[in-house]
Amino acid sequence: IQNNFPKAIIFFNKALNEYPDSDKKFRAKILLAKSYSKSALFEKAIPLFEDIIDRQIKEWIPDAFFELGEIYLQQLKYSDSRNAFSELITSFPDNLLTKKARFLVGDTFFSEKKYSPAEKQYRKALRSDSVSLEAHIAKYRIAFCLKELKKDELYEKFTGDLLNLDDYSRKSWDQDVNPQREQFKKYYYKLLFDYGCWTMEKKKFDSAEKIFKRVISEFPDGEDSHQAD
């Protein structure tokens, strides 16, 4: 039933009905809730996650808070999403899900175009993780925030340093064997394209031309290559 969520829903409902006193009932409940969530049946998933939290089932509380945060983020309920992720971060600072939750709090601010708190939150998140795909995306979004906040000197330095750093470190992710390779490349060239647009706005046309040529030649199938052409 892996990734077959309709079958998983039937299976876990049956298990909970037939074995309500099983010592594995809360595992079944959390997996049922996740199956509902993956099927976008949020109205059924939310009460199950809340029940796990209310019953103080410590083994599964981090998962419940994280899943609730993701659901609310998908529903554009940014304040509720932040609250769920913040509960996870505060109560379970060493949990593996907490690293990702820190970036997702930044995403809630970013989605609301609250660029100042978004930038600050992404920087906090990078203290505990600076190499994952989430960290890579956060760096791009910090640069975007600085640009939108008109912090030109900070934007230029941060973006220039980031591009230089990524040019050096990209060997670690720009390999065919990396399953996230295309996502890394996508955000790298989005950063480069945005930087080209900014340099053009500042009337640095020679620099902008060089940047756009790089985007076109190095990432010809990217969504920004057609605009750079």
Side-chain angles (χ1 to χ4, degrees):
I1 60 175
Q2 188 174 14
N3 293 327
N4 187 332
F5 300 114
K7 276 190 177 180
I9 289 169
I10 293 171
F11 176 84
F12 291 121
N13 266 314
K14 184 178 180 181
L16 286 168
N17 288 330
E18 293 183 0
Y19 306 102
D21 299 320
S22 167
D23 58 355
K24 295 182 180 180
K25 65 180 178 182
F26 291 113
R27 175 177 169 79
K29 182 171 284 191
I30 199 82
L31 292 174
L32 174 60
K34 288 183 178 183
S35 298
Y36 279 136
S37 181
K38 294 295 185 183
S39 303
L41 297 171
F42 301 136
E43 73 284 355
K44 292 188 176 182
I46 290 172
L48 292 174
F49 289 129
E50 290 177 336
D51 184 60
I52 293 287
I53 294 167
D54 291 342
R55 290 174 182 266
Q56 292 293 296
I57 311 303
K58 290 187 177 180
E59 182 181 0
W60 299 111
I61 288 177
D63 292 73
F65 275 131
F66 185 83
E67 294 287 337
L68 283 173
E70 287 209 310
I71 287 173
Y72 292 137
L73 187 56
Q74 290 182 64
Q75 293 180 324
L76 312 184
K77 296 178 179 178
Y78 300 119
S79 180
D80 290 339
S81 179
R82 269 195 298 276
N83 288 340
F85 289 133
S86 295
E87 287 284 354
L88 169 59
I89 293 165
T90 302
S91 302
F92 303 91
D94 299 322
N95 191 276
L96 289 175
L97 291 172
T98 299
K99 284 186 179 181
K100 190 172 182 180
R102 291 190 179 104
F103 290 112
L104 290 169
V105 171
D107 288 351
T108 65
F109 287 122
F110 190 84
S111 297
E112 292 179 295
K113 300 184 179 180
K114 295 179 178 178
Y115 296 122
S116 184
E119 181 216 345
K120 292 175 183 176
Q121 180 60 37
Y122 286 135
R123 288 185 186 274
K124 283 182 183 178
L126 287 168
R127 293 173 193 164
S128 58
D129 174 11
S130 61
V131 297
S132 69
L133 177 59
E134 288 81 10
H136 187 72
I137 295 170
K139 292 171 189 176
Y140 160 74
R141 289 182 172 164
I142 287 174
F144 187 93
C145 289
L146 292 172
K147 180 163 67 74
E148 292 299 304
L149 292 167
K150 309 297 183 187
K151 296 182 177 181
D152 288 351
E153 289 186 17
L154 283 173
Y155 170 72
E156 186 169 23
K157 184 179 187 311
F158 181 85
T159 305
D161 289 348
L162 184 55
L163 289 168
N164 289 334
L165 176 64
D166 276 0
D167 281 337
Y168 175 77
S169 64
R170 65 184 293 173
K171 292 178 183 178
S172 67
W173 55 260
D174 195 9
Q175 303 176 32
D176 290 337
V177 294
N178 188 338
Q180 296 178 319
R181 177 175 183 256
E182 289 306 311
Q183 286 296 309
F184 273 99
K185 287 179 66 176
K186 172 186 172 182
Y187 280 95
Y188 176 85
Y189 287 105
K190 281 182 74 68
L191 176 68
L192 190 60
F193 177 79
D194 284 355
Y195 191 46
C197 292
W198 182 83
T199 56
M200 190 165 66
E201 288 173 7
K202 301 301 176 184
K203 303 188 184 304
K204 301 177 182 181
F205 299 116
D206 289 343
S207 297
E209 183 181 5
K210 290 177 184 177
I211 291 170
F212 291 140
K213 282 182 176 179
R214 272 197 64 189
V215 175
I216 294 166
S217 64
E218 295 177 20
F219 198 42
D221 297 327
E223 60 188 54
D224 295 316
S225 292
H226 302 296
Q227 297 181 61
D229 196 353

